[in-house]
Amino acid sequence: RDYHFYASLPSTNRTAKELARQGAAEGTVVLAEEQTEGRGRLGRGWYSPPGLGIYFTVILRPAIPLGLAPQVTLLASVAVCKALETVAGVQPSIKWPNDVLLHGKKLCGTLTELNAEMEAVNYLVVGTGINVNQGPEDFPGEVAKVATSLYATTGEKVDRARLFAALLRFFEADYKHWLSAGFERLRSEWLERAAGMGTTVRVIAGQQEWIGRAEGIDSDGALLVRDGGGELRRLISGEVSLRP
Ligand code: BTN
Protein backbone atom coordinates (compact mmCIF):
# COMPACT_ATOMS: atom_id res chain seq x y z
CA ARG A 1 0.00 0.00 0.00
CA ASP A 2 1.09 3.52 -0.72
CA TYR A 3 1.54 5.76 2.35
CA HIS A 4 2.19 9.48 2.20
CA PHE A 5 3.26 10.75 5.58
CA TYR A 6 3.74 14.45 6.33
CA ALA A 7 4.78 16.38 9.43
CA SER A 8 2.35 19.14 8.50
CA LEU A 9 -0.25 19.68 5.77
CA PRO A 10 -3.03 22.19 5.25
CA SER A 11 -5.47 19.27 4.90
CA THR A 12 -4.95 15.56 4.18
CA ASN A 13 -8.19 15.59 2.15
CA ARG A 14 -6.81 18.31 -0.09
CA THR A 15 -3.54 16.44 -0.70
CA ALA A 16 -5.44 13.18 -1.25
CA LYS A 17 -7.61 14.84 -3.90
CA GLU A 18 -4.50 16.09 -5.72
CA LEU A 19 -2.96 12.60 -5.60
CA ALA A 20 -6.24 11.03 -6.77
CA ARG A 21 -6.42 13.46 -9.69
CA GLN A 22 -2.89 12.37 -10.62
CA GLY A 23 -4.06 8.74 -10.64
CA ALA A 24 -3.07 7.49 -7.16
CA ALA A 25 -4.18 3.90 -6.57
CA GLU A 26 -7.07 2.67 -4.44
CA GLY A 27 -5.94 2.30 -0.84
CA THR A 28 -3.45 5.19 -0.92
CA VAL A 29 -3.23 6.74 2.55
CA VAL A 30 -2.32 10.34 3.36
CA LEU A 31 -1.42 10.94 7.01
CA ALA A 32 -0.29 14.14 8.75
CA GLU A 33 0.99 14.87 12.25
CA GLU A 34 -0.69 18.26 12.06
CA GLN A 35 -3.13 20.07 9.79
CA THR A 36 -3.12 23.83 9.51
CA GLU A 37 -6.42 24.04 7.59
CA GLY A 38 -8.19 20.82 8.57
CA ARG A 39 -11.69 20.81 7.10
CA GLY A 40 -14.93 19.42 8.46
CA ARG A 41 -18.42 18.84 7.11
CA LEU A 42 -20.77 21.70 6.33
CA GLY A 43 -17.94 24.18 5.82
CA ARG A 44 -16.55 23.83 9.32
CA GLY A 45 -12.92 23.37 10.34
CA TRP A 46 -11.22 20.51 12.13
CA TYR A 47 -8.84 21.48 14.90
CA SER A 48 -5.69 19.43 14.23
CA PRO A 49 -2.83 20.24 16.64
CA PRO A 50 0.51 18.42 16.15
CA GLY A 51 1.18 15.07 17.78
CA LEU A 52 -2.11 14.64 19.64
CA GLY A 53 -4.64 13.37 17.13
CA ILE A 54 -4.86 11.16 14.06
CA TYR A 55 -5.57 12.97 10.80
CA PHE A 56 -5.67 10.90 7.63
CA THR A 57 -7.39 10.36 4.31
CA VAL A 58 -7.83 7.20 2.24
CA ILE A 59 -8.30 7.23 -1.54
CA LEU A 60 -10.87 4.72 -2.80
CA ARG A 61 -11.95 3.82 -6.30
CA PRO A 62 -15.03 1.63 -5.89
CA ALA A 63 -16.96 0.91 -9.08
CA ILE A 64 -20.27 2.16 -7.68
CA PRO A 65 -23.02 4.57 -8.66
CA LEU A 66 -22.96 7.97 -6.99
CA GLY A 67 -25.96 7.10 -4.82
CA LEU A 68 -24.01 4.48 -2.84
CA ALA A 69 -21.20 6.85 -1.88
CA PRO A 70 -22.73 7.96 1.46
CA GLN A 71 -22.42 4.37 2.69
CA VAL A 72 -18.64 4.67 2.65
CA THR A 73 -18.80 7.43 5.24
CA LEU A 74 -20.96 5.28 7.51
CA LEU A 75 -18.45 2.48 6.95
CA ALA A 76 -15.62 4.70 8.13
CA SER A 77 -17.40 5.57 11.38
CA VAL A 78 -18.11 1.89 12.11
CA ALA A 79 -14.44 1.00 11.52
CA VAL A 80 -13.35 3.82 13.84
CA CYS A 81 -15.70 2.56 16.56
CA LYS A 82 -14.38 -1.00 16.28
CA ALA A 83 -10.79 0.22 16.55
CA LEU A 84 -11.64 2.39 19.58
CA GLU A 85 -13.49 -0.48 21.26
CA THR A 86 -10.61 -2.90 20.65
CA VAL A 87 -7.60 -0.69 21.39
CA ALA A 88 -8.96 1.80 23.94
CA GLY A 89 -11.77 -0.25 25.52
CA VAL A 90 -14.34 2.55 25.16
CA GLN A 91 -17.94 2.32 23.92
CA PRO A 92 -18.41 5.13 21.40
CA SER A 93 -21.69 5.95 19.72
CA ILE A 94 -22.37 7.32 16.26
CA LYS A 95 -24.48 10.35 15.45
CA TRP A 96 -25.77 10.27 11.90
CA PRO A 97 -24.11 10.32 9.53
CA ASN A 98 -20.66 9.84 10.99
CA ASP A 99 -19.85 11.72 14.16
CA VAL A 100 -18.25 9.38 16.65
CA LEU A 101 -19.20 10.46 20.18
CA LEU A 102 -17.99 9.62 23.67
CA HIS A 103 -20.32 10.71 26.48
CA GLY A 104 -22.18 12.90 24.01
CA LYS A 105 -19.11 14.83 22.84
CA LYS A 106 -17.40 14.53 19.50
CA LEU A 107 -14.31 12.35 19.35
CA CYS A 108 -14.03 11.79 15.63
CA GLY A 109 -15.43 13.04 12.35
CA THR A 110 -15.21 11.97 8.72
CA LEU A 111 -15.36 14.16 5.62
CA THR A 112 -15.90 12.25 2.39
CA GLU A 113 -15.40 14.07 -0.90
CA LEU A 114 -15.88 12.57 -4.30
CA ASN A 115 -15.35 12.92 -7.99
CA ALA A 116 -17.88 11.34 -10.32
CA GLU A 117 -18.57 11.21 -14.03
CA MET A 118 -21.93 10.33 -15.52
CA GLU A 119 -23.34 9.30 -12.11
CA ALA A 120 -20.48 6.84 -11.55
CA VAL A 121 -17.88 7.35 -8.86
CA ASN A 122 -14.39 8.05 -10.16
CA TYR A 123 -12.72 8.37 -6.79
CA LEU A 124 -13.60 9.04 -3.17
CA VAL A 125 -11.39 10.56 -0.53
CA VAL A 126 -12.43 9.56 2.96
CA GLY A 127 -10.81 11.80 5.57
CA THR A 128 -11.02 11.05 9.28
CA GLY A 129 -9.85 13.01 12.29
CA ILE A 130 -9.69 11.47 15.77
CA ASN A 131 -8.96 13.36 18.98
CA VAL A 132 -6.64 11.02 20.85
CA ASN A 133 -4.26 12.53 23.39
CA GLN A 134 -5.50 16.10 23.73
CA GLY A 135 -6.00 17.13 27.34
CA PRO A 136 -9.23 18.93 28.23
CA GLU A 137 -7.32 22.23 28.16
CA ASP A 138 -5.91 21.58 24.67
CA PHE A 139 -9.16 22.47 22.90
CA PRO A 140 -9.87 26.11 22.08
CA GLY A 141 -12.97 27.49 23.85
CA GLU A 142 -15.68 26.96 21.24
CA VAL A 143 -14.33 23.53 20.33
CA ALA A 144 -14.09 22.48 24.01
CA LYS A 145 -17.87 22.76 24.38
CA VAL A 146 -18.55 20.08 21.78
CA ALA A 147 -15.36 18.03 21.47
CA THR A 148 -13.58 15.46 23.56
CA SER A 149 -10.58 13.16 23.18
CA LEU A 150 -9.77 9.66 24.38
CA TYR A 151 -7.34 11.05 26.96
CA ALA A 152 -9.79 13.71 28.18
CA THR A 153 -12.42 10.99 28.67
CA THR A 154 -10.45 8.07 30.07
CA GLY A 155 -7.38 9.77 31.59
CA GLU A 156 -5.16 7.36 29.68
CA LYS A 157 -2.88 8.17 26.77
CA VAL A 158 -3.23 5.94 23.77
CA ASP A 159 -0.52 4.84 21.34
CA ARG A 160 -1.67 6.51 18.13
CA ALA A 161 0.25 4.09 15.88
CA ARG A 162 -1.52 1.10 17.45
CA LEU A 163 -4.91 2.72 17.15
CA PHE A 164 -4.24 3.74 13.55
CA ALA A 165 -3.05 0.25 12.57
CA ALA A 166 -6.19 -1.31 14.07
CA LEU A 167 -8.34 1.26 12.33
CA LEU A 168 -6.84 0.54 8.90
CA ARG A 169 -7.34 -3.22 9.46
CA PHE A 170 -11.03 -2.78 10.33
CA PHE A 171 -11.53 -0.27 7.56
CA GLU A 172 -10.01 -2.55 4.93
CA ALA A 173 -11.96 -5.62 6.09
CA ASP A 174 -15.25 -3.70 6.25
CA TYR A 175 -14.62 -2.07 2.87
CA LYS A 176 -13.92 -5.43 1.21
CA HIS A 177 -17.01 -6.93 2.80
CA TRP A 178 -19.10 -3.98 1.64
CA LEU A 179 -17.78 -4.25 -1.94
CA SER A 180 -18.56 -7.94 -2.16
CA ALA A 181 -21.61 -8.37 0.07
CA GLY A 182 -23.24 -4.94 0.24
CA PHE A 183 -24.43 -2.67 3.02
CA GLU A 184 -26.66 -4.91 5.17
CA ARG A 185 -24.13 -6.08 7.77
CA LEU A 186 -22.62 -2.61 8.04
CA ARG A 187 -26.07 -1.16 8.44
CA SER A 188 -26.70 -3.28 11.52
CA GLU A 189 -23.20 -2.61 12.90
CA TRP A 190 -23.90 1.10 12.46
CA LEU A 191 -27.32 0.82 14.13
CA GLU A 192 -25.89 -1.11 17.10
CA ARG A 193 -23.86 1.99 17.92
CA ALA A 194 -26.30 4.67 16.80
CA ALA A 195 -27.04 7.55 19.18
CA GLY A 196 -30.51 9.04 19.37
CA MET A 197 -32.53 6.31 17.67
CA GLY A 198 -36.11 6.30 18.91
CA THR A 199 -35.67 9.79 20.37
CA THR A 200 -36.74 13.26 19.32
CA VAL A 201 -34.14 15.05 17.22
CA ARG A 202 -33.84 18.37 15.42
CA VAL A 203 -33.14 18.07 11.71
CA ILE A 204 -31.15 20.83 10.05
CA ALA A 205 -31.24 20.46 6.26
CA GLY A 206 -30.23 23.55 4.38
CA GLN A 207 -32.54 26.41 5.40
CA GLN A 208 -35.08 23.99 6.83
CA GLU A 209 -35.21 22.98 10.49
CA TRP A 210 -37.77 20.65 11.96
CA ILE A 211 -38.31 18.26 14.87
CA GLY A 212 -38.99 14.57 14.48
CA ARG A 213 -38.32 11.11 15.83
CA ALA A 214 -35.25 9.27 14.51
CA GLU A 215 -36.28 5.74 13.54
CA GLY A 216 -33.23 4.24 11.86
CA ILE A 217 -31.37 4.22 8.57
CA ASP A 218 -32.58 2.57 5.40
CA SER A 219 -30.78 0.19 3.06
CA ASP A 220 -29.05 3.18 1.38
CA GLY A 221 -27.81 4.68 4.65
CA ALA A 222 -30.32 7.55 4.62
CA LEU A 223 -31.61 8.63 8.04
CA LEU A 224 -35.32 7.96 8.65
CA VAL A 225 -37.09 10.59 10.71
CA ARG A 226 -40.84 10.70 11.40
CA ASP A 227 -42.07 14.28 11.27
CA GLY A 228 -44.81 15.92 13.35
CA GLY A 229 -47.43 14.94 10.78
CA GLY A 230 -46.51 11.26 11.13
CA GLU A 231 -44.76 11.04 7.80
CA LEU A 232 -41.48 9.12 7.53
CA ARG A 233 -38.86 11.30 5.81
CA ARG A 234 -35.51 10.24 4.35
CA LEU A 235 -32.50 12.41 4.99
CA ILE A 236 -29.55 11.95 2.67
CA SER A 237 -27.57 14.98 3.76
CA GLY A 238 -27.73 17.57 6.47
CA GLU A 239 -27.39 17.30 10.17
CA VAL A 240 -29.28 16.21 13.24
CA SER A 241 -29.06 17.60 16.72
CA LEU A 242 -29.76 15.21 19.59
CA ARG A 243 -30.78 18.15 21.78
CA PRO A 244 -34.02 19.24 20.12
C1 BTN B 1 -16.61 16.57 10.48
O1 BTN B 1 -17.00 15.95 11.46
O2 BTN B 1 -17.06 17.69 10.21
C2 BTN B 1 -15.57 15.93 9.61
C3 BTN B 1 -14.17 16.19 10.10
C4 BTN B 1 -13.13 15.53 9.22
C5 BTN B 1 -11.72 15.87 9.64
C6 BTN B 1 -10.70 15.06 8.90
S1 BTN B 1 -9.08 15.24 9.57
C7 BTN B 1 -8.37 14.45 8.19
C8 BTN B 1 -9.14 14.91 6.97
N1 BTN B 1 -8.57 16.12 6.42
C9 BTN B 1 -9.39 17.17 6.55
O3 BTN B 1 -9.13 18.33 6.19
N2 BTN B 1 -10.54 16.79 7.13
C10 BTN B 1 -10.54 15.37 7.42
Side-chain angles (χ1 to χ4, degrees), residues 121-187:
V121 168
N122 182 12
Y123 59 79
L124 290 161
V125 302
V126 183
T128 297
I130 311 175
N131 302 324
V132 183
N133 289 329
Q134 286 94 337
E137 68 293 335
D138 285 324
F139 293 106
E142 282 308 298
V143 179
K145 287 185 199 153
V146 294
T148 190
S149 71
L150 276 176
Y151 178 58
T153 313
T154 67
E156 281 172 47
K157 300 247 164 141
V158 172
D159 181 349
R160 289 177 301 147
R162 244 187 94 213
L163 181 59
F164 186 57
L167 173 48
L168 285 184
R169 271 200 310 277
F170 282 117
F171 189 94
E172 182 167 358
D174 288 344
Y175 178 66
K176 285 183 173 154
H177 176 88
W178 175 73
L179 281 181
S180 62
F183 186 55
E184 205 39 48
R185 190 187 80 187
L186 267 161
R187 176 172 172 271

Side-chain angles (χ1 to χ4, degrees), residues 4-70:
H4 297 254
F5 178 66
Y6 298 84
S8 177
L9 278 182
S11 153
T12 57
N13 267 35
R14 195 202 287 180
T15 300
K17 280 186 284 183
E18 281 161 20
L19 290 167
R21 267 198 296 275
Q22 293 158 16
E26 160 138 306
T28 299
V29 175
V30 180
L31 180 67
E33 269 292 281
E34 160 191 61
Q35 296 183 117
T36 53
E37 292 168 43
R39 302 208 300 107
R41 290 179 67 238
L42 308 171
R44 291 189 283 241
W46 186 262
Y47 179 61
S48 313
L52 298 174
I54 297 174
Y55 323 109
F56 75 104
T57 302
V58 181
I59 297 173
L60 299 174
R61 297 184 179 279
I64 55 163
L66 201 50
L68 294 187

Side-chain angles (χ1 to χ4, degrees), residues 196-207:
M197 289 302 150
T199 72
T200 303
V201 298
R202 171 181 300 274
V203 175
I204 305 138
Q207 304 290 13

